[in-house]
Amino acid sequence: MGGAFLAAAVLARLGGRIGLPTIPLFILAGILLGPHTPGWVLLSDPHDLEMLSALGLVLLLFYLGLEFHMDDLKAGGRKMALAGGAYLVLNVGAGLGFGFALGWGTSEALVLAGVLGISSSAIVTKVLVDTGRLGNPETKPILGIIVVEDVFLALYLAALQPILSGADSLSSALMDGGKAFGFLLLLALAARFGTKLVGRLINTPDDELLVISFLGAAVFLAGVSEWFGVADAIGAFMVGLMLGSTSSGERIRKLVHPLRDAFGAIFFFAFGLSIDPGDLPVVLWPVLAAVALTLLMNVLAGLAAAKVYDFGAGPAANISTTLLARGEFALILATMAAAAGLDERLSPFIAGYVLLLAVLGPLAAGRSPVRRGVPVGAVEERVGAGV
């Protein structure tokens, strides 16, 4: 674990000198020191960091929830649904069509629909933080699309699992989907009506007790969410959504920063450990075609979201590039596909596709226009003030 932190830090420092974002460098550190690359192997089994990696994802999404205020959710629900729906129709639809065009099979096409259609919440969060755009107006639709994607993903995974496992029981699939949807509804009601009660329960002047309290709540509810068939990330997000609106919200934002950054780095490092560069040439052309298709669909989705929110070309570019990266949810689908014995080309395809977009996404987002009239320092100042 110490070696993982140090390797990620060294590469990130070197990359920072030439202006590279940290996310692909953390992933590169995992690839170079993993079991699939010649040379010194730091970790022979990527699962050794599985729990720490999961904690990194939970904390990244918990922080995202802290920044997404309930007032934004209540005021912009219709626009959020329209922008998120447009994003999913374009990207998931394109992914399904691409899967059928490859001719690998129907189950494989359903997996690819999710892989190409869902953004990486972890990378999106990190990009927003690194670029100092949490205070920008287009960040609201970006976060809204992520929320819609997470809700869709929970239902999609619940529906896809019996198909991949060969289950022919429609009632079983409906039961799993209903259980996931019911739990999501319960979380939404708690976030809408239980904020005052949660605020009284968690409030304490002692920083140590506050850290233990919010960390325990986020991780515990993430685990419960997974048990109900909902992505653990959405459970952590909902906890952040509730706590961000309490009187302790600003203190929690400050206290969670070092935890988010440290374990977020481990999440991306562990992702790199799972990639075998030797498998990538076999699926090079399908990967490049999928990346080109995703770029096109994200441009169209960004324009659609900008139209819904009456934004111009600059915010549309920010939406398109920020949501470009694919990551943790694609890896979940790759794991499900491998367990179901689907086409063996799926795993290297998903690894290559995710790796390319994990690099291109942050690079493109870092070079898209910052909102005119608001210097980066001012944005960071507003973010620090909890705006």
Side-chain angles (χ1 to χ4, degrees):
M1 178 179 169
F5 276 123
L6 289 174
V10 168
L11 273 182
R13 282 172 175 265
L14 293 175
R17 294 180 181 274
I18 55 175
L20 291 177
T22 57
I23 294 169
L25 294 169
F26 292 155
I27 295 173
L28 179 61
I31 294 174
L32 293 177
L33 297 176
H36 307 297
T37 305
W40 183 48
V41 176
L42 179 65
L43 284 163
S44 58
D45 186 359
H47 290 95
D48 288 344
L49 290 179
E50 186 172 14
M51 182 59 70
L52 296 175
S53 174
L55 182 58
L57 178 60
V58 164
L59 289 172
L60 283 165
L61 269 293
F62 173 71
Y63 182 79
L64 186 65
L66 289 172
E67 292 293 341
F68 196 93
H69 298 289
M70 282 300 300
D71 291 340
D72 297 333
L73 188 62
K74 288 183 285 186
R78 180 176 173 275
K79 289 184 176 180
M80 182 181 76
L82 286 173
Y87 189 91
L88 287 173
V89 168
L90 287 168
N91 285 274
V92 175
L96 185 62
F98 180 79
F100 281 122
L102 283 179
W104 292 355
T106 301
S107 295
E108 287 79 0
L110 291 171
V111 170
L112 289 172
V115 170
L116 271 66
I118 306 295
S119 304
S120 168
S121 300
I123 296 179
V124 168
T125 306
K126 190 71 166 57
V127 165
L128 288 173
V129 172
D130 287 352
T131 56
R133 290 176 182 160
L134 284 171
N136 282 22
E138 68 270 16
T139 297
K140 288 182 182 180
I142 290 171
L143 297 184
I145 290 171
I146 288 295
V147 172
V148 173
E149 281 186 324
D150 284 345
V151 173
F152 170 80
L153 182 75
L155 301 176
Y156 187 73
L157 290 178
L160 188 62
Q161 181 61 51
I163 296 174
L164 296 185
S165 62
D168 53 3
S169 172
L170 179 61
S171 61
S172 176
L174 291 175
M175 185 178 297
D176 288 342
K179 184 173 71 171
F181 182 77
F183 184 68
L184 284 171
L185 182 61
L186 182 63
L187 288 178
L189 290 173
R192 174 66 179 85
F193 300 107
T195 302
K196 290 184 179 179
L197 175 61
V198 171
R200 287 197 296 268
L201 290 174
I202 203 165
N203 185 40
T204 173
D206 190 311
D207 283 350
E208 179 185 11
L209 293 179
L210 185 59
V211 169
I212 294 171
S213 299
F214 75 67
L215 187 59
V219 176
F220 179 76
L221 196 53
V224 174
S225 298
E226 195 172 51
W227 187 77
F228 274 96
V230 177
D232 52 4
I234 192 65
F237 175 87
M238 296 303 291
V239 175
L241 190 64
M242 284 184 273
L243 296 185
S245 301
T246 66
S247 58
S248 303
E250 180 55 30
R251 288 173 59 211
I252 293 173
R253 288 185 192 93
K254 292 179 180 178
L255 292 169
V256 78
H257 274 191
L259 294 169
R260 179 206 67 193
D261 292 341
F263 290 100
I266 291 296
F267 169 80
F268 295 112
F269 181 87
F271 172 37
L273 290 175
S274 67
I275 295 176
D276 185 352
D279 291 338
L280 301 182
V282 180
V283 290
L284 177 61
W285 292 113
V287 165
L288 293 177
V291 168
L293 179 63
T294 303
L295 287 168
L296 174 61
M297 290 300 106
N298 268 258
V299 169
L300 295 177
L303 291 172
K307 185 174 180 59
V308 170
Y309 282 84
D310 296 322
F311 291 153
N318 285 346
I319 294 171
S320 299
T321 55
T322 303
L323 291 168
L324 183 60
R326 302 296 187 262
E328 65 279 0
F329 297 133
L331 298 181
I332 292 172
L333 290 169
T335 302
M336 291 173 61
L342 300 187
D343 195 299
E344 61 182 13
R345 291 171 291 185
L346 265 180
S347 291
F349 171 87
I350 293 173
Y353 172 76
V354 170
L355 180 60
L356 271 180
L357 287 181
V359 173
L360 290 177
L363 286 173
R367 285 158 176 76
S368 65
V370 178
R371 189 177 69 162
R372 291 181 180 178
V374 182
V376 173
V379 173
E380 290 175 346
E381 184 178 331
R382 290 180 62 194
V383 171
V387 178

